[in-house]
Amino acid sequence: MTYLQKEHLEVYANQASKDGKPFCGDSYYVHATDEYLICVLADGLGSGEYAYNSSSAVTKVVEEHHHESVDVLMQLSNEVLHHKRGAAVAIFKVFFDKQEFEYSCVGNIRFYLYTDGGKLTYPLPVTGYLSGRPQKYRTQRFVYELDCKFILHSDGLNIMNVKSLFKNRSIKPIAYELEEQTTQSNDDATFIIGSLL
């Protein structure tokens, strides 16, 4: 499990490959500066080495250009998948000073933002996947309240009731609960869960 803590945030991330195979078709990258947090989750089509090659190409290009806007990062992710199998990709960036999210997703990756008051934000992704072909993106921006929680996860993880998962709980026990679920999944499974303080 990956753990990241800074003044403004606490994040846990974990993944497991399908049937314990050597290559996980999901890849993720989490990085925080004093100004922002950037997270990307890429789910390569299928499973195994070719899926891994696609998803890891995305996380590598985001890591190299994390200072760019979400729009630019989605375009770079699409370009790097040219002649590869393709991937579902979700990228979000949190700006601490503005208390604002930028979020874009193509494919079946889920993102939820939960406030202490019980409000759940679930921006809908664009259907399809990135593969180097011309692609429409929809970057959404929304403000967040302090002490909110978020989760980003691939379709290998099936979360039935996000509100009850988050309600009156800190993210550490939730992360360990989800870690157990990822190891029991019959698909590549990845999650990034965090709280913004």
Side-chain angles (χ1 to χ4, degrees):
M1 181 124 52
T2 301
Y3 178 63
L4 174 67
Q5 185 175 27
K6 280 183 99 69
E7 182 188 354
H8 301 291
L9 64 102
E10 185 178 21
V11 178
Y12 290 85
N14 193 63
Q15 70 180 174
S17 61
K18 181 180 181 177
D19 303 325
K21 290 184 176 149
F23 288 99
C24 182
D26 294 351
S27 297
Y28 70 89
Y29 172 67
V30 179
H31 178 71
T33 70
D34 291 338
E35 289 84 42
Y36 60 82
L37 166 72
I38 177 110
C39 296
V40 57
L41 175 52
D43 181 352
L45 298 187
S47 62
E49 189 172 358
Y50 290 113
Y52 166 78
N53 288 344
S54 291
S55 64
S56 61
V58 169
T59 52
K60 189 166 187 275
V61 79
V62 172
E63 184 175 354
E64 289 166 358
H65 301 275
H66 63 77
H67 55 279
E68 297 283 2
S69 70
V70 169
D71 283 334
V72 169
L73 292 172
M74 288 297 282
Q75 287 166 15
L76 291 170
S77 298
N78 193 36
E79 287 164 15
V80 83
L81 288 169
H82 194 58
H83 297 310
K84 286 188 169 61
R85 191 185 274 183
V89 176
I91 300 173
F92 73 84
K93 209 165 188 177
V94 181
F95 297 95
F96 303 131
D97 59 341
K98 294 186 285 188
Q99 283 181 226
E100 186 179 81
F101 266 89
E102 270 186 17
Y103 173 79
S104 188
C105 178
V106 175
N108 57 353
I109 294 171
R110 303 276 180 261
F111 174 74
Y112 300 94
L113 178 67
Y114 179 82
T115 66
D116 253 8
K119 182 186 172 196
L120 192 67
T121 303
Y122 170 51
L124 293 171
V126 173
T127 56
Y129 56 92
L130 300 186
S131 63
R133 293 192 308 269
Q135 175 74 51
K136 281 191 165 63
Y137 312 103
R138 184 174 69 233
T139 298
Q140 300 172 70
R141 289 171 184 80
F142 37 95
V143 294
Y144 67 87
E145 298 171 18
L146 294 181
D147 294 326
C148 70
K149 303 177 184 86
F150 66 83
I151 184 165
L152 186 68
H153 69 88
S154 64
D155 64 348
L157 199 59
N158 189 16
I159 301 174
M160 299 308 290
N161 192 333
V162 176
K163 274 192 176 183
S164 65
L165 182 75
F166 278 136
K167 193 173 182 183
N168 301 323
R169 298 176 75 194
S170 65
I171 62 165
K172 185 177 179 179
I174 303 171
Y176 283 100
E177 189 180 306
L178 294 175
E179 181 185 33
E180 198 169 311
Q181 283 183 39
T182 57
T183 57
Q184 294 166 359
S185 174
N186 60 358
D187 194 0
D188 297 323
T190 304
F191 69 84
I192 301 168
I193 186 171
S195 57
L196 297 163
L197 313 168

